[in-house]
Amino acid sequence: MTCKLCGSEKMQVLLIVTVYVVFSTLWIYVSDRLLFLVIAPQLRTNISIYKGEAFVLLSAGLLYLLIVRYARRLKEASSAGEKRFRLIADYMPGFVWTIRPDGTVDFSNKFFKEFTGLESYNDTSFVHPDDRALTEAIWRKAMQTGTPYEVEHRFRRHDGVYRWYLCRAVPERDAAGKIVRWYGTSTDIDDLKTTSEALRSRTAELESLLAHAPIGFAFFDQRHRYLRVNRALCLINGLREEEMLGKTIQEVLPVNARAADPILDQVFRSGLAVEAEIAGETPKEPGVERYWLTGFYPVFASAKEPIAVGAYVVEITERKRAEEAMSRLAAIVRAAEDAVFSEDLNGIVQTWNRGAEKLFGYSAEEMIGKPISLVIPPELTSELKEMTRKTKQGLQDHYETVRLTKGGKRIFVFLTMSPMRDAAGQIVGVAKIVRDISDKKRAEEDLKETVKALQRTNHELQQFAHVASHDLQEPLRNVTRYMELFFRNYQDRIDEKGRIYINFAMEGANRIHALVSDLLSYSELGVSAREFRPVSMHAVAEEAMDNLRHTMEESRAVVLLDELPEVMGNRRQLVQLLQNLLSNALKFGRSGISPRISISAERLTGNWRFGVHDNGIGIEPEYFDKIFVIFQRLHARSKHPGTGIGLAICRKIVELHGGRIWVESRLGEGSIFYFTIPARGGTDEGHGNTAGGRQ
Ligand code: ADP
């Protein structure tokens, strides 16, 4: 036990003990002599007998005095301590209380009483119902283990309002270590608690915003290392969080570091935010240029210098590309040769490019804000209204029309009108592309005139050829007839030489006759043109073969026919076409080999391709085109008779039917004459390639 006495009291006790020791020593050694000096001799014996008892009594009295004094001092000291404790406790701005080990509260301070409005209490009714269970459990545990008690709970104020308190208690133990009392305090932490709650919820809100915002966020330290990144940034970079954290921009995005590093340095140095558009690439798509709008701002812990730099990153690649495409488009429009301009829905010009300036003669300043009717000929106002009505319905259309230039000139134009929409899809104006087609129009008109003139000439030529060949027949017949009469009547008087001359003359006349009749049929081709009906090419081939029966038999020719389709055409002309080709195949056979001819048909897209194959003498490639020209022949008449008109007629017939004709051949092996005829309606007509033979 510690001494509870003050310094002077200690001195007093020391004095009493010293006096007692001195007195007892004197008593033991000098009491007898002293007594003999002062006490009568008859009393001396009695005194020496009771000397021991007197000493004991005196000692007891002195000891009693000491104990009483000491106890009083102790009591005084203890109650002063208690008083001081209570005095202090009452002025504490929190709760102070003491509890005995049995749980009874033996002290609670003034503050507690004022707060709760209770004089005394022995239960936890003033603790918030939600906090009671926890508080009691912690209290029980502290009591059992003797460890300090600490809990946060709400106390009910006298007006029913609860406030948060931090309660703490420590045990007081006696010399044997037994708990004799618990000293407790409760401190109001309500404001702190609400502030930290608010802070926590604010932080949580910010965290959630950071995590879910479609904007990339990152924090960098002085060495440009990623301290934090959010999900959006991971998506933008195509990297996982752990692939960035702790690494520098240079390590993660070397291309982007070129732009970002100097900015970061600047923000750390100046402490001022910087916003910038930066271009770079990400590991997600290496080599593909991307753009971001970025903002770098300093993060201060104290007023001195930034401890970190926060950055936001917004992907603007698509916008940038769209802008680039737009500006390219705008540049194209600006520079276009065609007039490209736009009007609002009231026909007021909004844009006017260089092409428009050139075409109409009005400058952009003159036209923008003016009605488009300035370039519309007065008689076409209603046409323009109709066109605009269509465009307002959302339709794009093309027109050939006439416009007026600033100089009053009328120009033919090809005009495309398209609706212009705003972001919401509403039609807000009309875009127009206008091309000057005056030259084309003039060329078309000229062409029409030329065609008409050609048709006239052609017709006249046909007439001429027809008349000429027709009229030539008559005198030719006279020549032949009178030559025959002359020969018959004067043959006795004509010598051998004369007979030969007459033969030559007859031959010449016959040849002129053949030429004239071929020419006649050639000239007649155009007249009966385009009276087309469905015609079976099989029947056509058979008729042509019938007409050539005699020659075929003579040359012992074999003709094979594929299954031939039906086409739209002029039957008489088609018979003539096949007959000419067959007759040539027979005529230009190789000597000693009987002609073998086949007629095939193959369906191509939109056309039938027919082929007349022979095993004749063949044609040299250089003549492939020449042979189709009228009067062009490759052989002497004596060897292969003919007029050179047959293939020219073939070509004319094929062309009249909308097809073309050509030859493929190898000299000494044979030729194939191909020609095409448009298929009926362009559909497949179930033609098979089965070969049908006929001799
Ligand atoms: P013609 O038969 O009256 O001479 P064409 O116009 O029919 O006139 O033929 C022109 C020329 O083409 C012929 O003279 C001949 O030299 C050549 N020719 C035409 N068909 C064949 C063929 N099947 N084989 C070889 N040559 C041919």
Side-chain angles (χ1 to χ4, degrees):
M1 193 197 280
T2 52
C3 178
K4 298 261 169 76
L5 302 178
C6 65
S8 65
E9 282 167 341
K10 280 181 189 162
M11 288 301 290
Q12 281 177 20
V13 172
L14 199 69
L15 194 66
I16 291 170
V17 172
T18 315
V19 169
Y20 174 73
V21 169
V22 170
F23 183 76
S24 347
T25 314
L26 283 174
W27 189 266
I28 292 164
Y29 295 105
V30 292
S31 59
D32 285 353
R33 253 162 281 167
L34 206 66
L35 280 171
F36 284 123
L37 280 179
V38 292
I39 294 168
Q42 64 272 24
L43 287 174
R44 276 180 202 163
T45 318
N46 289 347
I47 286 172
S48 59
I49 291 167
Y50 296 106
K51 189 175 72 173
E53 281 81 355
F55 180 76
V56 169
L57 272 173
L58 188 67
S59 301
L62 277 171
L63 207 62
Y64 173 75
L65 265 175
L66 262 177
I67 288 169
V68 166
R69 192 176 176 82
Y70 180 61
R72 205 181 67 226
R73 283 286 168 211
L74 263 184
K75 198 173 171 196
E76 272 174 18
S78 138
S79 73
E82 188 80 21
K83 240 188 205 159
R84 272 201 294 276
F85 165 70
R86 290 183 183 216
L87 198 68
I88 294 165
D90 276 344
Y91 284 95
M92 285 281 283
F95 304 157
V96 181
W97 38 271
T98 59
I99 293 180
R100 284 206 292 269
D102 64 0
T104 42
V105 176
D106 60 355
F107 170 75
S108 56
N109 69 343
K110 228 194 223 154
F111 188 87
F112 184 89
K113 288 169 191 158
E114 280 168 10
F115 183 84
T116 58
L118 299 169
E119 257 320 303
S120 64
Y121 60 93
N122 265 312
D123 57 23
T124 51
S125 59
F126 48 82
V127 175
H128 193 286
D130 292 352
D131 304 338
R132 263 176 228 163
L134 179 75
T135 306
E136 282 166 7
I138 293 178
W139 179 240
R140 261 198 308 279
K141 198 179 163 214
M143 296 277 273
Q144 277 160 16
T145 58
T147 50
Y149 158 82
E150 182 171 326
V151 71
E152 283 180 13
H153 67 66
R154 281 160 287 183
F155 272 120
R156 192 184 59 232
R157 209 162 58 186
H158 55 84
D159 56 0
V161 173
Y162 283 96
R163 285 184 74 81
W164 279 97
Y165 273 82
L166 168 66
C167 304
R168 281 185 177 141
V170 283
E172 184 194 7
R173 295 167 193 273
D174 61 12
K178 208 175 136 222
I179 293 174
V180 287
R181 227 178 190 189
W182 287 85
Y183 289 85
T185 59
S186 301
T187 317
D188 188 334
I189 53 162
D190 200 77
D191 291 342
L192 203 71
K193 190 100 172 161
T194 348
T195 314
S196 63
E197 280 294 326
L199 206 67
R200 241 201 309 276
S201 86
R202 239 180 115 82
T203 313
E205 282 168 15
L206 286 173
E207 284 289 331
S208 142
L209 207 67
L210 208 68
H212 298 106
I215 298 169
F217 283 107
F219 288 94
F220 298 99
D221 69 6
Q222 306 252 10
R223 289 172 58 193
H224 304 185
R225 288 179 303 208
Y226 288 90
L227 296 174
R228 280 197 68 178
V229 294
N230 73 338
R231 210 166 52 99
L233 192 73
C234 294
L235 290 175
I236 288 173
N237 289 344
L239 292 168
R240 288 192 311 277
E241 197 177 341
E242 57 269 26
E243 289 175 300
M244 288 184 265
L245 291 183
K247 303 215 176 83
T248 61
I249 308 182
Q250 174 65 36
E251 284 167 334
V252 178
L253 307 164
V255 180
N256 306 7
R258 267 180 253 147
D261 279 345
I263 300 178
L264 272 175
D265 282 335
Q266 187 190 331
V267 178
F268 271 116
R269 230 183 5 254
S270 67
L272 299 172
V274 173
E275 199 170 77
E277 241 180 59
I278 64 172
E281 57 179 62
T282 63
K284 192 166 72 175
E285 284 177 293
V288 176
E289 181 151 73
R290 307 192 74 83
Y291 301 91
W292 300 279
L293 176 68
T294 58
F296 296 84
Y297 49 92
V299 181
F300 292 99
S302 64
K304 275 172 70 198
E305 53 187 37
I307 48 155
V309 166
Y312 65 80
V313 181
V314 182
E315 177 90 52
I316 52 163
T317 309
E318 294 309 317
R319 197 185 81 192
K320 199 83 182 162
R321 283 183 193 154
E323 275 173 12
E324 273 171 18
M326 286 282 278
S327 69
R328 268 200 293 272
L329 219 58
I332 292 170
V333 168
R334 264 198 307 279
E337 276 298 311
D338 289 343
V340 183
F341 54 95
S342 60
E343 307 155 21
D344 67 10
L345 291 176
N346 301 317
I348 303 297
V349 174
Q350 306 291 309
T351 61
W352 192 256
N353 78 337
R354 229 174 296 156
E357 289 184 331
K358 236 164 97 183
L359 181 64
F360 294 105
Y362 289 103
S363 69
E365 291 84 65
E366 283 174 309
M367 273 316 273
I368 291 173
K370 302 277 163 51
I372 193 64
S373 52
L374 280 174
V375 298
I376 312 291
E379 72 277 12
L380 294 180
T381 316
S382 55
E383 183 197 76
L384 176 75
K385 267 194 195 137
E386 178 55 22
M387 293 169 168
T388 314
R389 194 184 60 78
K390 268 189 167 177
T391 317
K392 282 181 183 168
Q393 286 172 355
L395 304 170
Q396 188 195 55
D397 219 335
H398 311 284
Y399 308 92
E400 276 194 14
T401 182
V402 176
R403 289 289 176 261
L404 266 184
T405 66
K406 188 180 178 184
K409 206 173 113 193
R410 275 158 199 266
I411 43 169
F412 281 104
V413 293
F414 181 75
L415 168 69
T416 304
M417 278 174 76
S418 327
M420 287 198 311
R421 295 170 193 274
D422 63 9
Q426 286 287 322
I427 296 173
V428 289
V430 184
K432 293 183 181 176
I433 303 174
V434 179
R435 174 170 292 183
D436 185 356
I437 53 162
S438 300
D439 289 349
K440 188 180 141 231
K441 247 343 210 208
R442 226 167 285 129
E444 270 176 21
E445 294 298 323
D446 288 354
L447 193 71
K448 265 189 210 155
E449 283 305 311
T450 314
V451 168
K452 262 190 208 154
L454 267 174
Q455 277 171 341
R456 260 197 314 272
T457 318
N458 207 23
H459 184 71
E460 281 164 13
L461 271 173
Q462 251 168 20
Q463 288 293 100
F464 169 77
H466 185 75
V467 171
S469 47
H470 201 265
D471 290 357
L472 275 174
Q473 303 273 27
E474 192 50 34
L476 207 59
R477 261 196 297 276
N478 281 343
V479 171
T480 323
R481 193 179 324 133
Y482 285 105
M483 275 307 239
E484 277 170 5
L485 272 177
F486 175 76
F487 185 70
R488 217 180 303 143
N489 293 339
Y490 300 98
Q491 59 179 312
D492 313 339
R493 276 173 270 171
I494 302 170
D495 60 4
E496 189 52 33
K497 215 172 187 177
R499 227 173 274 135
I500 290 170
Y501 291 160
I502 288 172
N503 263 342
F504 280 157
M506 289 288 278
E507 228 171 72
N510 283 338
R511 195 169 139 58
I512 292 174
H513 175 72
L515 269 169
V516 165
S517 55
D518 275 356
L519 205 58
L520 192 62
S521 47
Y522 183 81
S523 71
E524 278 173 348
L525 276 175
V527 181
S528 55
R530 304 217 67 88
E531 287 162 10
F532 290 174
R533 298 215 159 70
V535 181
S536 156
M537 285 302 278
H538 203 89
V540 164
E542 289 197 324
E543 191 178 330
M545 281 155 68
D546 267 351
N547 296 344
L548 296 167
R549 184 166 304 279
H550 179 67
T551 330
M552 278 170 63
E553 281 169 4
E554 238 178 26
S555 61
R556 307 166 74 86
V558 176
V559 180
L560 293 172
L561 294 188
D562 262 12
E563 199 173 299
L564 303 177
E566 198 173 70
V567 295
M568 285 300 285
N570 179 312
R571 185 185 166 103
R572 209 167 56 82
Q573 288 180 1
L574 292 173
V575 170
Q576 194 178 356
L577 165 68
L578 277 190
Q579 194 174 319
N580 283 7
L581 293 176
L582 280 174
S583 126
N584 278 352
L586 295 169
K587 192 162 66 177
F588 299 104
R590 273 178 282 164
S591 55
I593 299 175
S594 8
R596 239 187 118 74
I597 304 164
S598 66
I599 303 177
S600 64
E602 193 185 336
R603 176 68 196 261
L604 309 176
T605 24
N607 281 317
W608 281 105
R609 188 188 70 179
F610 297 90
V612 179
H613 312 239
D614 69 45
N615 60 342
I617 57 172
I619 305 161
E620 279 184 85
E622 58 178 298
Y623 300 117
F624 283 179
D625 289 331
K626 220 173 164 188
I627 52 172
F628 293 99
V629 178
I630 195 162
F631 299 134
Q632 289 289 339
R633 308 197 72 247
L634 307 181
H635 307 277
R637 256 190 320 278
S638 52
K639 206 170 171 201
H640 299 287
T643 55
I645 296 182
L647 286 179
I649 289 178
C650 288
R651 188 168 76 175
K652 193 154 185 190
I653 292 173
V654 170
E655 284 172 358
L656 283 169
H657 281 78
R660 63 186 195 94
I661 186 166
W662 69 102
V663 68
E664 286 176 12
S665 176
R666 286 169 85 91
L667 202 62
E669 287 181 21
S671 313
I672 312 169
F673 281 82
Y674 286 114
F675 63 90
T676 60
I677 302 229
R680 292 182 63 193
T683 53
D684 200 289
E685 285 153 45
H687 161 74
N689 262 339
T690 341
R694 187 202 138 128
Q695 212 165 330

